């Protein structure tokens, strides 16, 4: 199993628990990606900080890793806004799954983890954070990864 603390008191086999783990995780990721797509249908959110990350503004950027990540797709000829949207999609996918995994491991119950993950993933702040080209989604990713 993926977490040693997941309650095994239920009369379910490890295969059934494994299937529930991946099915619920996939459902949450699907909901999160769907919300991302709906919120970026007119383009990813661009803020004053975003122009600094993209090198459009003359002021230097604050978060060099995100600036490098946003500029990376431009090296292969991709538009920076499309690259930022792709990065947002990757991070919403990864952050949603990490939240699910951490809550499964910490609560030991799929039902608690599902409710907790849904509350986080469906929160307007989480959705808006990932629907903008900012450095917070990668920061959240590395924070959640460190908690793992």
């Amino acid at each position: 199993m993926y977490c040693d603390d997941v309650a095994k008191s239920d009369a379910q086999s490890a295969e059934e628990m494994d299937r529930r783990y991946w099915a619920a995780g996939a459902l949450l990721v699907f909901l999160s990606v769907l919300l991302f797509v709906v919120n970026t249908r007119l383009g990813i959110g661009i803020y004053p900080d975003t122009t600094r990350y993209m090198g459009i503004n003359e002021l230097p950027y604050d978060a060099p890793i995100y600036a490098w990540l946003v500029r990376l797709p431009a090296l292969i000829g991709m538009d920076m806004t499309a690259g930022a949207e792709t990065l947002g999609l990757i991070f919403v996918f990864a952050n949603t799954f990490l939240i699910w995994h951490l809550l499964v491991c910490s609560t030991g119950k799929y039902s608690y983890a599902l409710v907790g993950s849904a509350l986080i993933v469906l929160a307007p702040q989480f959705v808006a954070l990932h629907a903008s080209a900012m450095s917070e989604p990668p920061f959240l990713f590395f924070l959640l990864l460190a908690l793992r």
Side-chain angles (χ1 to χ4, degrees):
M1 196 63 206
Y2 305 101
C3 303
D4 295 333
D5 300 336
V6 175
K8 294 180 174 84
S9 62
D10 299 330
Q12 296 152 348
S13 67
E15 184 177 310
E16 175 66 24
M17 291 177 72
D18 190 46
R19 193 173 347 181
R20 287 175 47 200
Y21 173 85
W22 288 108
L27 174 69
L28 286 166
V29 167
F30 175 75
L31 281 173
S32 190
V33 167
L34 181 68
L35 284 172
F36 176 83
V37 169
V38 167
N39 279 291
T40 58
R41 69 187 178 279
L42 300 176
I44 196 155
I46 303 289
Y47 294 97
D49 285 355
T50 306
T51 60
R52 293 167 51 189
Y53 299 139
M54 292 180 173
I56 300 169
N57 194 332
E58 66 277 351
L59 295 174
Y61 44 80
D62 300 322
I65 292 176
Y66 186 71
W68 298 333
L69 286 173
V70 168
R71 292 179 185 180
L72 196 62
L75 295 176
I76 59 170
M78 191 177 194
D79 182 43
M80 269 201 232
T81 56
E85 196 166 334
T86 303
L87 281 173
L89 188 62
I90 290 167
F91 283 116
V92 78
F93 182 94
N95 288 342
T96 300
F97 190 78
L98 279 171
I99 289 167
W100 160 249
H101 179 73
L102 287 169
L103 287 176
V104 166
C105 291
S106 63
T107 63
K109 297 213 178 263
Y110 291 117
S111 57
Y112 296 166
L114 185 62
V115 170
S117 298
L119 286 172
I120 294 170
V121 168
L122 299 175
Q125 297 87 351
F126 185 86
V127 174
L129 181 82
H130 287 85
S132 61
M134 298 292 286
S135 63
E136 281 78 3
F139 172 76
L140 183 60
F141 171 76
F142 289 115
L143 179 71
L144 293 170
L145 201 59
L147 292 174
R148 171 59 187 109

